[in-house]
Amino acid sequence: MSEGWFRGGEGPYATIELERELPPGITDLGPIALEAPATFAASRVVDERREPVARAVLALECWDPAAKRWSPQWDLRRTEVGSDGAFTIPRSFPGERFRLVATAPGRYGIPREFPPGAENLVLVLREGGAIEGAVLLDPEIPQELVDVRLTNGPRSLEHLSSDAQRAELAPDGSSRLPGLEPGSYDLRIEPLSTITETRGNPIRGRQRSGSGCRCAA
């Protein structure tokens, strides 16, 4: 082995040269200098008025040349977006093309492509649309057994968290999915487990009630 490396999390890392065979047992490699990681991307998240947006969620996507599509690369929810909207991603990722998108409650962002090392990457969040509706259930069917979820949109939904793709049903069956980019969406409603209705046929878990409906946000 001519070269090895050790890196821990997003903090300082070290590169260790191993140009000789190591004998069995413990080997003293001498002093190991830690290097500060280079900044992968940094800037801030703002709204349409250029006001800072705190507590935004960042998602990184990498271009997959084999599949010819953008794929989620890393969950950046641990990257803190400060009260001034500022953020720093202090680590590198494999790949050649990247884009970053931010989301926040009630808002949506457009992915922005950037070169690694960019430190002036302003991400703009816009007021999002919403899909509202109601699911009519028999009184004996608990709302938590019914799943209401987006399955398709104007672009990939992979940048949205699972919670942002799913609607919670209120006691009256109403639901709302906010913070959506304008466009058309597929909405799927299905049971999470077997629901037996005495006046009809049982509906099996994960059995679709139909082809879904097309909604606009």
Side-chain angles (χ1 to χ4, degrees):
M1 181 175 183
S2 61
E3 180 179 311
W5 61 275
F6 169 80
R7 186 167 183 170
E10 298 180 355
Y13 67 97
T15 301
I16 305 172
E17 299 291 342
L18 299 176
E19 297 180 348
R20 65 184 187 279
E21 292 293 330
L22 299 179
I26 299 175
T27 300
D28 184 3
L29 297 176
I32 298 175
L34 295 180
E35 303 174 22
T39 299
F40 183 68
S43 191
R44 56 199 179 98
V45 181
V46 299
D47 61 18
E48 294 173 292
R49 299 180 300 275
R50 297 290 170 170
E51 296 292 332
V53 177
R55 299 185 301 277
V57 175
L58 302 178
L60 179 67
E61 299 175 341
C62 177
W63 177 252
D64 185 341
K68 295 183 179 180
R69 67 182 182 92
W70 292 96
S71 300
Q73 180 70 14
W74 188 256
D75 187 346
L76 293 173
R77 287 174 177 80
R78 291 178 299 174
T79 298
E80 181 179 356
V81 176
S83 58
D84 58 353
F87 67 88
T88 299
I89 304 174
R91 57 166 297 171
S92 61
F93 298 87
E96 296 182 358
R97 294 179 60 192
F98 301 92
R99 65 182 189 181
L100 196 63
V101 61
T103 58
R107 300 178 182 275
Y108 73 94
I110 302 297
R112 181 174 175 184
E113 190 170 352
F114 67 96
E119 297 188 5
N120 192 26
L121 186 65
V122 179
L123 303 178
V124 180
L125 290 180
R126 296 171 172 83
E127 195 73 26
I131 295 175
E132 297 180 339
V135 179
L136 303 181
L137 300 173
D138 288 339
E140 64 271 16
I141 300 178
Q143 284 93 350
E144 59 267 20
L145 293 183
V146 178
D147 188 51
V148 180
R149 185 181 299 274
L150 296 174
T151 60
N152 194 21
R155 59 188 175 91
S156 171
L157 301 177
E158 293 177 329
H159 67 285
L160 295 176
S161 67
S162 178
D163 291 341
Q165 298 179 37
R166 183 176 182 273
E168 296 286 344
L169 292 183
D172 62 354
S174 62
S175 63
R176 188 173 189 270
L177 285 161
L180 299 178
E181 178 183 348
S184 297
Y185 293 83
D186 288 329
L187 189 67
R188 188 176 67 194
I189 302 172
E190 63 182 0
L192 295 173
S193 62
T194 299
I195 299 176
T196 302
E197 183 189 358
T198 57
R199 293 170 295 174
N201 297 324
I203 301 176
R204 302 299 177 185
R206 290 298 177 189
Q207 175 185 344
R208 296 187 183 183
S209 57
S211 59
C213 57
R214 196 73 173 167
C215 305

